Amino acid sequence: MATLVMLQAGQAVSYSLTGSEIVLGRHPDCQIQLDSNMVSRRHAQVIGSGDEFFVEDLGSGNGTFVNGKKIEGRTQLAHDDRLKVGPILFRFESDKKQEPKRSGITIDSSFDIGFSNDEEDGDAGATIMGAVSGVGGFGGLDIRPEAKLKAMIEISRSLAGTVDLEKLLPQILTTLFHIFPAADRGCILLKDENTGEMVPRAFKHRREGEDATVKLSRTIVNKVLEERTGILSADAASDAQFDASESISNLSIRSMMCVPMLGLEEEPIGVINIDTQNPVQQFQEEDLDLLMSVAGQAALTYESARLMTSFMEKQKQDNEMNIARGVQQGLLPSTVPEVEGYEFFASYHSAQAVGGDYYDIFELPDDMIGLSFGDVAGKGVPGAMIMARMSSCVQNTMRFVHEVGPAVEAINDHMCDSAVEGRFVTYVLVILDTKNHRLSLVNAGHMSPMILKPDGSIDEFPEESIGVPIGVMEGFPFEVVERDLAPGEIVVLFTDGVDEAMNPEGELYTLDRMREFIKDNREKNAAELGQALLADVRRHANGRPQNDDITIMTFGRVS
């Protein structure tokens, strides 16, 4: 026989649905009379037809709700559905029972934590016996201060030195079982940082071999999280009046406490839930207040352990990045060639531990010097990996190819073979003939080098001589540009970290300022000019951190 179980003021009253139409309302003629001024005279009706039952609102002022949702029109009822009429809650019990719906996660083969379907939105108030506000995550510290101090000392001592999060949570439950001897089962749920959902992370039960399944009230958990309040709930399984409700008695919980774990910013990071199956040793409000205090200390300990874990991971990453920095520095030349009548200078400063800028200087046969200079699209670790590959490719190519055009074409084809989408290299390769004082240059998508003349004027290569970046188009025919290098002339190569250096006001260094600075320092030699340019970029930045790698190379003939 189908029934409606009314849950109100901690009691349950069952109504058999024997007629085809059962009216609920305030009027004395209603089959189920409800004494509340929030209920309409004829509020709603339940209509039975065979094994199927429907509920229909009769134009009430406050509406009728099924499982927390306001109904429109006739709505079919299923076993264990929640019916709310004004402030009064009912549970619909049907002979045609279904398997309890659950929404939970099995942690491992030894235990299971899930949400019980017997309590939906708004229905938990019937069994909530007390609540404690989460004042700073510790409850009211002026209530039973001696017991709270002892409990917090105990949990602090038991958790001291534990930084492994997987070991910390079970240890919290073990300590709670010492503090609350009546506790039979306990579990901890933590908020997933990606989804924001509460995920079961630890479980403990006192007696081995018993049912290790814990069902939590979704409503109580939501109330704990939203209101940052600890909840004490006495389940109806201990009351003979609830024998008709099998779904409640199946929970096998006599008393339960659920409290939030509040983090450093007073936001819930998790929930602690403990319950007892002993009808004699039920939890009291003073136990709830004590658990609230202990949960506050446990939450701070967990946050500290989590921060320590993050710090140790950061240290490990920093150490690895320092090793990577050393490896990358090893790919750069440690010295510059010493050639009579010429000067060379190069500096490299990455925005992060490693960067995507690249340069190399190497001696070739017949008094030739190769100068390789590039900027990978991207910085940090991805840029550094492309930079390392580029360095290896250039070194291997220049061992066998000493003409600038064929060399760049070979480098480009090799980089295109296994190019990473969106990762290219703007690149300049110069071969300097120090005997005939002539340079040959290929520019693959990079900014034109600036050539400072002794009279203070600056030469730049035409834009039409600039080809596509390395790694973009296989078989591209790059143009070779040749030029004599007169005494006193200095060639300046740079990456966009120079002209795009930014000060605290957001102003860029710009190419125009760079040209003026080079003109104003024409009395300096190549090394002095490179050092002065770097210093001027630093002055412009005025302490603002680099937003890109800064690399400068200068070389020229002594006047």
Side-chain angles (χ1 to χ4, degrees), residues 401-412:
V401 184
H402 302 149
E403 295 183 17
V404 65
V408 173
E409 290 175 1
I411 293 168
N412 177 61

Side-chain angles (χ1 to χ4, degrees), residues 514-552:
M514 180 178 172
R515 292 186 184 97
E516 292 301 319
F517 180 83
I518 292 175
K519 290 177 182 179
D520 294 341
N521 288 268
R522 57 182 178 273
E523 73 284 352
K524 291 181 170 58
N525 59 33
E528 293 171 344
L529 179 61
Q531 293 169 347
L533 177 59
L534 177 61
D536 193 56
V537 171
R538 297 292 190 203
R539 278 193 298 271
H540 172 78
N542 195 23
R544 176 165 179 160
Q546 284 181 228
N547 60 317
D548 201 355
D549 306 326
I550 296 176
T551 304
I552 298 172

Side-chain angles (χ1 to χ4, degrees), residues 159-216:
L159 302 179
T162 305
V163 296
D164 187 340
L165 298 180
E166 298 304 320
K167 295 180 180 178
L168 179 66
L169 298 177
Q171 185 62 35
I172 291 175
L173 291 177
T174 299
T175 307
L176 289 177
F177 273 42
H178 286 299
I179 298 174
F180 299 98
D184 288 316
R185 296 176 297 195
C187 62
I188 297 178
L189 286 73
L190 294 181
K191 180 178 290 187
D192 186 278
E193 295 182 356
N194 297 323
T195 65
E197 296 180 355
M198 286 293 162
V199 179
R201 293 289 300 275
F203 175 85
K204 182 177 178 63
H205 56 100
R206 190 177 294 277
R207 289 178 288 275
E208 299 292 336
E210 292 191 356
D211 180 17
T213 300
V214 170
K215 296 178 181 178
L216 305 179

Side-chain angles (χ1 to χ4, degrees), residues 442-462:
V442 167
N443 188 335
H446 199 77
M447 292 168 290
S448 172
M450 297 183 185
I451 302 177
L452 175 63
K453 295 182 176 182
D455 61 3
S457 60
I458 291 180
D459 268 358
E460 296 182 48
F461 294 97

Side-chain angles (χ1 to χ4, degrees), residues 92-129:
F92 175 71
E93 300 285 347
S94 173
D95 292 335
K96 189 178 179 181
K97 296 181 180 179
Q98 302 171 343
E99 289 295 321
K101 291 181 289 183
R102 302 180 61 191
S103 174
I105 297 177
T106 300
I107 305 303
D108 58 33
S109 59
S110 63
F111 64 90
D112 185 26
I113 298 175
F115 287 106
S116 167
N117 188 49
D118 79 298
E119 291 181 339
E120 295 290 346
D121 296 342
D123 63 294
T127 59
I128 292 179
M129 308 300 292

